[in-house]
């Protein structure tokens, strides 16, 4: 009685083994859809009494969705700092900034990118960004020198992305210029990107 059951189980094993997609000979498709990314790079500002700020570390985290093979939308949260650049002007007769010349800049932006294929799995990505930024402490204004300032921002960027042979993972690099509307401060960030698509 056990022999016919054993024979039936053994007869089904080859069918089960063949049900999966064979790993060899199948081209690896670039994944598109919901993704997350983590980026770390360099940030600086232009303008002010010192022309430009010292380069500082920039950190960005994001989530998004590839709407098509060419259009991607996302929400990104970035954090950088402007160091040693005075935007409020010096106090009369001194080289002391009338407000803070060192401040953090936090971004919460919606981004959109268009993927232009350059080669197999390699894309050029023009981008636009818009959202809110928080400057702490405020580098300009007439309020409390220790208070933070919230201002809208808008920007343009260019990036490159490569979908690696490791399924789910893409790597790349972006250069993003954003203008803080109100404080009138241009900011720039350059960062490598690591993207995981589910």
């Amino acid at each position: 009685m056990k022999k016919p059951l054993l024979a039936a189980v053994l007869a089904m094993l080859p069918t089960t083994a063949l049900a999966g997609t064979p790993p060899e000979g199948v081209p690896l498709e670039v994944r598109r859809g919901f993704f997350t990314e983590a980026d770390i790079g360099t940030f600086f500002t232009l303008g002010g009494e010192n022309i430009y700020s010292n380069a500082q570390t920039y950190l960005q985290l994001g989530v998004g969705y590839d709407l098509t093979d060419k259009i991607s939308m996302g929400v990104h949260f970035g954090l950088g700092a402007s160091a040693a650049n005075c935007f409020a002007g010096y106090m009369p007769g001194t080289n002391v900034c009338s407000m803070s010349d060192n401040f953090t800049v936090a971004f919460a932006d919606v981004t959109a990118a268009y993927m232009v294929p350059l080669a197999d799995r390699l894309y050029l990505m023009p981008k636009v960004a818009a959202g809110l930024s928080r400057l702490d402490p405020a580098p300009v204004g007439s309020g409390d020198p220790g208070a933070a300032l919230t201002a809208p921002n808008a920007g343009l960027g260019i990036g490159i992305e490569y979908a690696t042979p490791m399924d789910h993972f893409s790597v790349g690099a972006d250069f993003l210029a954003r203008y803080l509307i109100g404080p009138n401060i241009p900011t720039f960030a350059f960062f490598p990107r690591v993207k995981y698509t589910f």
Side-chain angles (χ1 to χ4, degrees):
M1 191 125 181
K2 290 184 179 178
K3 287 184 181 178
L5 179 60
L6 181 60
V9 170
L10 291 175
M12 289 191 302
L13 283 179
T15 307
T16 306
L18 292 172
T21 303
E24 288 91 19
V26 177
L28 187 61
E29 300 247 342
V30 176
R31 282 189 183 262
R32 296 287 178 225
F34 179 70
F35 65 84
T36 62
E37 67 177 73
D39 319 315
I40 188 164
T42 302
F43 178 88
F44 64 96
T45 60
L46 286 183
E49 297 290 337
N50 306 95
I51 313 297
Y52 57 89
S53 73
N54 294 334
Q56 299 292 303
T57 302
Y58 178 73
L59 174 66
Q60 179 173 277
L61 302 173
V63 295
Y65 194 83
D66 297 316
L67 301 176
T68 69
D69 283 346
K70 297 199 182 249
I71 299 172
S72 179
M73 297 284 294
V75 177
H76 291 84
F77 303 93
L79 187 64
S82 178
N85 194 4
C86 179
F87 288 94
Y90 293 134
M91 291 189 207
T94 71
N95 283 335
V96 177
C97 191
S98 58
M99 297 198 67
S100 179
D101 58 354
N102 296 289
F103 55 94
T104 60
V105 185
F107 296 96
D109 287 350
V110 174
T111 61
Y114 185 80
M115 293 175 255
V116 180
L118 296 178
D120 189 32
R121 309 174 71 79
L122 181 66
Y123 304 89
L124 184 69
M125 300 181 67
K127 298 186 173 189
V128 294
L132 286 176
S133 41
R134 185 169 175 81
L135 292 73
D136 190 11
V140 295
S142 55
D144 178 3
L149 171 69
T150 301
N153 74 77
L156 297 171
I158 190 77
I160 195 161
E161 182 177 296
Y162 175 68
T164 71
M166 292 174 55
D167 200 14
H168 299 280
F169 285 96
S170 296
V171 295
D174 279 12
F175 179 76
L176 187 57
R178 284 177 283 207
Y179 190 76
L180 306 181
I181 302 163
N184 302 324
I185 299 173
T187 71
F188 299 87
F190 173 76
F191 47 91
R193 297 172 53 235
V194 177
K195 174 180 169 184
Y196 182 89
T197 305
F198 290 88

